[in-house]
Amino acid sequence: MTEQQEASEDAVMTRIGQAVILLHAGDREEARNRLGEIWAEIGAEGDSLHRCTLAHYMADAQDDPADELAWDLRALTAADGLRPGEEPGLPPGRRPGHGVSPTLGEGPGRTPGEGASQNIGEGAGQGVGQGVRPGPQQAVRVFYPSLHLSLAADYVKLRRPEAARVHLARARAATGALADDGYGNGVRAAIARLERRLAAEPGEGPRPFPEQYS
């Protein structure tokens, strides 16, 4: 990748980061507008990591849980599109002021206690538009716990506990890719909270989760 291409990649991530700042400041409409413009520019054939990152943030800007689910599914689809040989853009990461960084779930509508995800790519220690570029396989492996956790939280909101359990189990199964740091521990804690919440759901009784088999 040339320096000009890298600068272009960084500019996209910087613009996404600026929209996220607006989102966390409470300006959801403007954040949605800016993210929507970037999404249109990226296009269906654009950088998979850009699309994954943007869709994951866009989900948090939605007022309707069904729309939130649709964007989280787009994020997962984009992550699935990251394959060896594709040069990804830079993932977003930690932001100051919240201990373990502001998560996608900590904006309006989601809280860590509801099982919402941490920032994508945070485990690699990058900020939006900053840091060392990870390889595609590493990026995907670190992303999946957060992506599936977000989907589980979406399905809980939509009163679809069985679908939530499926994605929560996938999130738990993918945690081996997480480092033993603030981000990784935050994701694991959020998974555990949602597991406890779903285990207490009435109807079919508590369901075992992967760590309960050991």
Side-chain angles (χ1 to χ4, degrees), residues 56 59 65 68-77 110 114-117 144-158 160 163-168 170-171 194:
H56 199 47
E68 187 175 0
L69 172 63
W71 280 104
D72 277 327
L73 287 170
R74 290 184 183 104
L76 181 63
T77 299
R110 296 198 222 180
E114 293 174 329
S117 69
Y144 276 121
S146 181
L147 293 170
H148 284 294
L149 178 57
S150 288
L151 285 164
D154 294 340
Y155 283 119
V156 168
K157 291 180 182 178
L158 292 168
R160 295 175 60 184
R165 288 186 176 97
V166 168
H167 283 283
L168 196 56
R170 290 174 182 172
L194 194 55

Side-chain angles (χ1 to χ4, degrees), residues 135-211:
Q137 290 177 307
Q138 176 190 355
V140 170
R141 291 178 66 238
V142 172
F143 286 7
Y144 276 121
S146 181
L147 293 170
H148 284 294
L149 178 57
S150 288
L151 285 164
D154 294 340
Y155 283 119
V156 168
K157 291 180 182 178
L158 292 168
R159 301 183 183 278
R160 295 175 60 184
E162 291 305 311
R165 288 186 176 97
V166 168
H167 283 283
L168 196 56
R170 290 174 182 172
R172 172 63 73 183
T175 56
L178 298 173
D180 186 16
D181 58 11
Y183 168 72
N185 293 335
V187 173
R188 293 185 189 95
I191 291 171
R193 284 193 292 270
L194 194 55
E195 286 172 344
R196 290 192 295 270
R197 177 175 174 179
L198 282 172
E201 285 285 321
E204 300 183 25
R207 293 291 188 88
F209 287 94
E211 78 280 4

